[in-house]
């Protein structure tokens, strides 16, 4: 057990692949274990089957998976909710997420229809009920005198959230901040830019812990936010330049031209 008064954040790097016409696309996602003296909070769950890797990491720390009492989902995409159902069944934990993504978390088949992703059924182990609906500004008791402030950051998905841990000032950003040169994913580019701008205004961030990139500390944390924002601006400006005033009749063709540019 973690001795009283101690606290540890354990990143769990989860590899997975997505089928494409050119073969499997290798990806990874981070989930985070927040281990306090008497409970464990898990931020995101990875894809289907990730519970084995997460539970292994818990046991490596001489803890038990049953100590996971709360799972916070930063958003509803399959690489974040994929193992939530299995972890809930194994631990009886509470599931928390933003209201705007609740329907997709509880009904993955609806998400698959609304937002088709290659290999979706292989990435998600099933729907899971959201026990606690989160909203912007909510405070979540983590344990060991720590709280996580919910920061609603729509754009990547309508219910995307970040978590600002106090007093440590660690910021868990989920997929809200894109990585320059990597695959950009968002529903609303303007909302994404506004969300990152909001994160940039948070004072004294110690480090950011994203889901699809390595953690960054101090000045590098703010630089990662700036780089993500600049990347979104660059993509959006390129799309507008290519599209011009013409109606977008073929989104795939516009995508191909944007990638070429």
């Amino acid at each position: 057990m973690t001795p009283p008064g101690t606290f540890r954040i354990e990143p769990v790097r989860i590899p997975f692949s997505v089928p494409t016409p050119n073969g499997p696309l290798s990806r990874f996602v981070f989930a985070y274990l927040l281990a306090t003296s008497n409970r464990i909070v898990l931020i995101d769950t990875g894809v289907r089957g990730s519970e084995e890797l997460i539970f292994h990491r818990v046991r490596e720390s001489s803890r038990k998976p049953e100590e996971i009492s709360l799972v916070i989902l930063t958003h509803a995409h399959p690489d974040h909710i994929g193992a939530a159902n299995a972890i809930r069944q194994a631990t009886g934990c509470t599931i928390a997420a933003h209201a705007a993504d609740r329907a997709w978390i509880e009904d993955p088949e609806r998400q698959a229809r609304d937002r088709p992703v290659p290999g979706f059924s292989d990435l998600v182990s099933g729907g899971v009920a959201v026990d606690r609906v989160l909203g912007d500004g909510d405070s979540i008791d983590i344990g060991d005198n720590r709280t996580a402030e919910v920061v609603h950051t729509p754009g990547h998905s309508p219910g995307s959230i970040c978590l600002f841990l106090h007093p440590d000032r660690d910021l868990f950003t989920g997929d809200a901040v894109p990585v320059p040169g990597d695959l950009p994913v968002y529903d609303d580019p303007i909302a994404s830019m506004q969300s990152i701008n909001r994160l940039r205004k948070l004072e004294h961030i110690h480090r950011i812990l994203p889901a699809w990139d390595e953690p960054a500390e101090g000045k590098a944390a703010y630089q990662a936010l700036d780089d993500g924002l600049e990347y979104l601006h660059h993509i959006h400006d390129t799309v507008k330049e290519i599209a011009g005033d013409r109606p977008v009749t073929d989104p795939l063709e516009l995508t191909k031209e944007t990638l070429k540019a």
Side-chain angles (χ1 to χ4, degrees), residues 111-131:
Q111 180 179 173
R113 293 192 300 269
D114 294 344
R115 182 181 179 270
V117 172
F120 185 97
S121 60
D122 293 329
L123 298 175
V124 181
S125 63
V128 64
V130 175
D131 306 296

Short mmCIF file of all heavy atoms in Angstrom, two decimals, residues 111-131:
data_model
loop_
_atom_site.label_atom_id
_atom_site.label_comp_id
_atom_site.label_asym_id
_atom_site.label_seq_id
_atom_site.Cartn_x
_atom_site.Cartn_y
_atom_site.Cartn_z
N GLN A 111 -22.41 5.82 -31.19
CA GLN A 111 -21.20 6.53 -31.59
C GLN A 111 -20.65 5.99 -32.91
O GLN A 111 -20.23 6.76 -33.77
CB GLN A 111 -20.12 6.43 -30.50
CG GLN A 111 -18.85 7.17 -30.88
CD GLN A 111 -17.76 7.12 -29.83
OE1 GLN A 111 -16.64 7.58 -30.07
NE2 GLN A 111 -18.06 6.59 -28.65
N ALA A 112 -20.68 4.66 -33.07
CA ALA A 112 -20.18 4.05 -34.29
C ALA A 112 -20.98 4.50 -35.51
O ALA A 112 -20.42 4.67 -36.60
CB ALA A 112 -20.20 2.53 -34.17
N ARG A 113 -22.28 4.73 -35.32
CA ARG A 113 -23.11 5.22 -36.42
C ARG A 113 -22.85 6.70 -36.67
O ARG A 113 -22.76 7.15 -37.82
CB ARG A 113 -24.60 5.01 -36.10
CG ARG A 113 -25.03 3.55 -36.05
CD ARG A 113 -26.55 3.45 -36.02
NE ARG A 113 -27.13 4.13 -34.86
CZ ARG A 113 -27.36 3.55 -33.68
NH1 ARG A 113 -27.03 2.27 -33.51
NH2 ARG A 113 -27.91 4.22 -32.69
N ASP A 114 -22.76 7.47 -35.59
CA ASP A 114 -22.59 8.92 -35.73
C ASP A 114 -21.19 9.30 -36.21
O ASP A 114 -21.01 10.30 -36.91
CB ASP A 114 -22.84 9.62 -34.38
CG ASP A 114 -24.28 9.50 -33.92
OD1 ASP A 114 -25.14 9.15 -34.76
OD2 ASP A 114 -24.54 9.76 -32.73
N ARG A 115 -20.19 8.49 -35.81
CA ARG A 115 -18.79 8.82 -36.09
C ARG A 115 -18.04 7.54 -36.44
O ARG A 115 -17.31 7.00 -35.63
CB ARG A 115 -18.18 9.50 -34.85
CG ARG A 115 -16.74 9.95 -35.00
CD ARG A 115 -16.24 10.57 -33.69
NE ARG A 115 -14.86 10.98 -33.78
CZ ARG A 115 -13.82 10.21 -33.46
NH1 ARG A 115 -14.02 8.98 -33.02
NH2 ARG A 115 -12.58 10.67 -33.56
N PRO A 116 -18.21 7.05 -37.66
CA PRO A 116 -17.58 5.78 -38.02
C PRO A 116 -16.06 5.86 -37.94
O PRO A 116 -15.44 6.79 -38.44
CB PRO A 116 -18.04 5.57 -39.47
CG PRO A 116 -19.25 6.43 -39.63
CD PRO A 116 -19.03 7.61 -38.75
N VAL A 117 -15.46 4.89 -37.26
CA VAL A 117 -14.01 4.77 -37.14
C VAL A 117 -13.63 3.35 -37.54
O VAL A 117 -14.26 2.39 -37.10
CB VAL A 117 -13.55 5.05 -35.68
CG1 VAL A 117 -12.08 4.74 -35.51
CG2 VAL A 117 -13.84 6.49 -35.30
N PRO A 118 -12.60 3.18 -38.39
CA PRO A 118 -12.20 1.82 -38.78
C PRO A 118 -11.89 0.96 -37.55
O PRO A 118 -11.18 1.38 -36.65
CB PRO A 118 -10.93 2.07 -39.62
CG PRO A 118 -11.07 3.46 -40.14
CD PRO A 118 -11.79 4.22 -39.05
N GLY A 119 -12.46 -0.24 -37.53
CA GLY A 119 -12.20 -1.18 -36.44
C GLY A 119 -12.84 -0.79 -35.13
O GLY A 119 -12.40 -1.27 -34.07
N PHE A 120 -13.88 0.04 -35.16
CA PHE A 120 -14.48 0.55 -33.92
C PHE A 120 -14.86 -0.59 -32.98
O PHE A 120 -14.57 -0.52 -31.77
CB PHE A 120 -15.72 1.39 -34.25
CG PHE A 120 -16.34 2.06 -33.05
CD1 PHE A 120 -16.04 3.37 -32.74
CD2 PHE A 120 -17.24 1.38 -32.23
CE1 PHE A 120 -16.61 3.99 -31.64
CE2 PHE A 120 -17.81 1.98 -31.12
CZ PHE A 120 -17.49 3.30 -30.83
N SER A 121 -15.51 -1.63 -33.50
CA SER A 121 -16.00 -2.70 -32.63
C SER A 121 -14.87 -3.43 -31.92
O SER A 121 -15.07 -4.02 -30.85
CB SER A 121 -16.84 -3.70 -33.44
OG SER A 121 -16.06 -4.29 -34.47
N ASP A 122 -13.66 -3.40 -32.50
CA ASP A 122 -12.53 -4.06 -31.86
C ASP A 122 -11.89 -3.19 -30.78
O ASP A 122 -11.05 -3.67 -30.02
CB ASP A 122 -11.46 -4.41 -32.90
CG ASP A 122 -11.93 -5.47 -33.88
OD1 ASP A 122 -12.76 -6.32 -33.48
OD2 ASP A 122 -11.49 -5.44 -35.04
N LEU A 123 -12.27 -1.92 -30.72
CA LEU A 123 -11.64 -0.99 -29.79
C LEU A 123 -12.43 -0.80 -28.51
O LEU A 123 -11.90 -0.30 -27.52
CB LEU A 123 -11.44 0.37 -30.47
CG LEU A 123 -10.54 0.41 -31.71
CD1 LEU A 123 -10.55 1.80 -32.33
CD2 LEU A 123 -9.12 0.00 -31.35
N VAL A 124 -13.71 -1.17 -28.50
CA VAL A 124 -14.59 -0.89 -27.36
C VAL A 124 -15.23 -2.17 -26.86
O VAL A 124 -15.79 -2.94 -27.64
CB VAL A 124 -15.68 0.13 -27.74
CG1 VAL A 124 -16.58 0.43 -26.55
CG2 VAL A 124 -15.07 1.41 -28.28
N SER A 125 -15.16 -2.39 -25.54
CA SER A 125 -15.68 -3.62 -24.96
C SER A 125 -17.17 -3.54 -24.64
O SER A 125 -17.75 -4.50 -24.16
CB SER A 125 -14.92 -3.96 -23.67
OG SER A 125 -15.10 -2.95 -22.69
N GLY A 126 -17.79 -2.39 -24.89
CA GLY A 126 -19.22 -2.24 -24.63
C GLY A 126 -19.50 -0.93 -23.92
O GLY A 126 -18.58 -0.25 -23.44
N GLY A 127 -20.76 -0.57 -23.86
CA GLY A 127 -21.14 0.66 -23.19
C GLY A 127 -21.05 0.54 -21.68
O GLY A 127 -21.03 -0.57 -21.13
N VAL A 128 -20.99 1.69 -21.02
CA VAL A 128 -20.93 1.71 -19.56
C VAL A 128 -21.72 2.92 -19.07
O VAL A 128 -21.67 3.99 -19.66
CB VAL A 128 -19.48 1.76 -19.06
CG1 VAL A 128 -18.78 3.04 -19.48
CG2 VAL A 128 -19.39 1.56 -17.56
N ALA A 129 -22.50 2.73 -18.01
CA ALA A 129 -23.31 3.81 -17.47
C ALA A 129 -22.43 4.88 -16.82
O ALA A 129 -21.47 4.55 -16.12
CB ALA A 129 -24.31 3.27 -16.47
N VAL A 130 -22.76 6.12 -17.06
CA VAL A 130 -22.08 7.24 -16.41
C VAL A 130 -22.79 7.53 -15.10
O VAL A 130 -23.94 7.94 -15.08
CB VAL A 130 -22.06 8.48 -17.32
CG1 VAL A 130 -21.46 9.68 -16.58
CG2 VAL A 130 -21.29 8.21 -18.60
N ASP A 131 -22.10 7.31 -13.98
CA ASP A 131 -22.70 7.50 -12.66
C ASP A 131 -22.66 8.96 -12.21
O ASP A 131 -23.56 9.41 -11.51
CB ASP A 131 -21.94 6.67 -11.62
CG ASP A 131 -21.85 5.21 -12.00
OD1 ASP A 131 -22.90 4.56 -12.08
OD2 ASP A 131 -20.73 4.72 -12.24
#
